[in-house]
Amino acid sequence: MNPLPLKNIRRALVVAPHPDDETIGAFGLMRHLVRHGTNVRITVVTNGAASHNSKTWPAARLIARRRHETRHALARIGIPQTAITFLDFPDSGLQDMSPTGFRRLKQKLAQGQEPDLVVRPSILDFHADHRIVARACQDTWPSRVHQLTYLVWPDASQPDNPPRYRLPLKDSRLMKAAAIATYRSQTGLIEDDPEGFCMDRTLIQSLADPNEYFGIR
């Protein structure tokens, strides 16, 4: 497996389909880039409101909470709130977007100075929102902008596609697990929706693998 091509990266953009995907997929990479002086920006595409159907946490409250959690997790590695953009597309609704909506997504992604590196979800991810965000990223940036992909939810129906790059987390591993756990809305805070999404301790530990892996699809 090859070392990550991270030389001469001045501006990096990490694209997350939902609030927490950036931390699950690329926490160690973001920390590495920040420590080496790279300007790191985060774009969160959807509002995260579909994780629960709760009376005590209606959509507006849940969206605000998930934004707070993202800011808090990324502050751990020195990424300021001003570097985080929330596009507020509907969670779990990207597959129903019209062609006009898809063009609007690409326009939103392209705003700002062009990055040297885009880190985005894999086209092979099980979650439809991840796949659509991946396709939008593929369409948005020209081939001269290098793209790395992370896989959050593997799709068992897809053929095996080994990652190309590996980043050992070392001392970032415990930090990553702690950062994932700060997403309390996704780790047990909401108690009146037994069918809602919840990452337990075992899942958090598996998501904080000793390495982060990246591909190019």
Side-chain angles (χ1 to χ4, degrees), residues 116-132:
D116 304 306
L117 172 68
V118 172
V119 183
R120 48 92 170 167
S122 171
I123 200 76
L124 302 177
D125 199 289
F126 177 77
H127 199 300
D129 282 352
H130 290 229
R131 297 194 302 272
I132 292 164

Side-chain angles (χ1 to χ4, degrees), residues 47-50 52 54-68 71 88 190:
N47 58 26
H52 292 82
S54 165
K55 292 182 178 179
T56 59
W57 287 86
R61 186 185 182 194
L62 180 56
I63 290 167
R65 173 73 192 196
R66 297 198 67 178
R67 289 187 176 191
H68 169 78
R71 296 182 180 113
D88 204 33
I190 300 174

Side-chain angles (χ1 to χ4, degrees), residues 125-151:
D125 199 289
F126 177 77
H127 199 300
D129 282 352
H130 290 229
R131 297 194 302 272
I132 292 164
V133 170
R135 185 159 57 86
C137 290
Q138 288 177 329
D139 289 356
T140 297
W141 286 281
S143 58
R144 68 177 178 272
V145 177
H146 190 59
Q147 297 192 31
L148 294 174
T149 69
Y150 58 84
L151 183 62

Side-chain angles (χ1 to χ4, degrees), residues 15-174:
V15 183
H18 311 96
D20 70 9
D21 288 322
E22 76 299 320
T23 297
I24 293 170
F27 183 87
L29 175 57
M30 291 187 292
R31 185 180 185 222
H32 175 90
L33 291 169
V34 169
R35 292 173 73 182
H36 285 79
T38 302
N39 180 287
V40 178
R41 294 186 295 117
I42 316 297
T43 294
V44 181
V45 175
T46 75
N47 58 26
S51 67
H52 292 82
N53 182 18
S54 165
K55 292 182 178 179
T56 59
W57 287 86
R61 186 185 182 194
L62 180 56
I63 290 167
R65 173 73 192 196
R66 297 198 67 178
R67 289 187 176 191
H68 169 78
E69 291 167 345
T70 298
R71 296 182 180 113
H72 183 59
L74 296 178
R76 290 169 171 259
I77 50 176
I79 296 177
Q81 294 185 20
T82 53
I84 308 169
T85 300
F86 298 94
L87 299 185
D88 204 33
F89 281 81
D91 185 1
S92 297
L94 298 186
Q95 61 186 336
D96 298 323
M97 274 197 309
S98 66
T100 299
F102 189 69
R103 286 194 298 271
R104 185 165 65 90
L105 172 57
K106 293 192 294 181
Q107 291 168 355
K108 294 282 189 181
L109 289 172
Q111 289 178 348
Q113 196 169 12
E114 185 173 271
D116 304 306
L117 172 68
V118 172
V119 183
R120 48 92 170 167
S122 171
I123 200 76
L124 302 177
D125 199 289
F126 177 77
H127 199 300
D129 282 352
H130 290 229
R131 297 194 302 272
I132 292 164
V133 170
R135 185 159 57 86
C137 290
Q138 288 177 329
D139 289 356
T140 297
W141 286 281
S143 58
R144 68 177 178 272
V145 177
H146 190 59
Q147 297 192 31
L148 294 174
T149 69
Y150 58 84
L151 183 62
V152 176
W153 309 117
D155 186 348
S157 69
Q158 293 286 345
D160 187 37
N161 185 53
R164 179 168 294 193
Y165 304 109
R166 177 176 66 92
L167 177 68
L169 292 188
K170 299 179 182 178
D171 63 333
S172 293
R173 186 188 183 190
L174 291 178

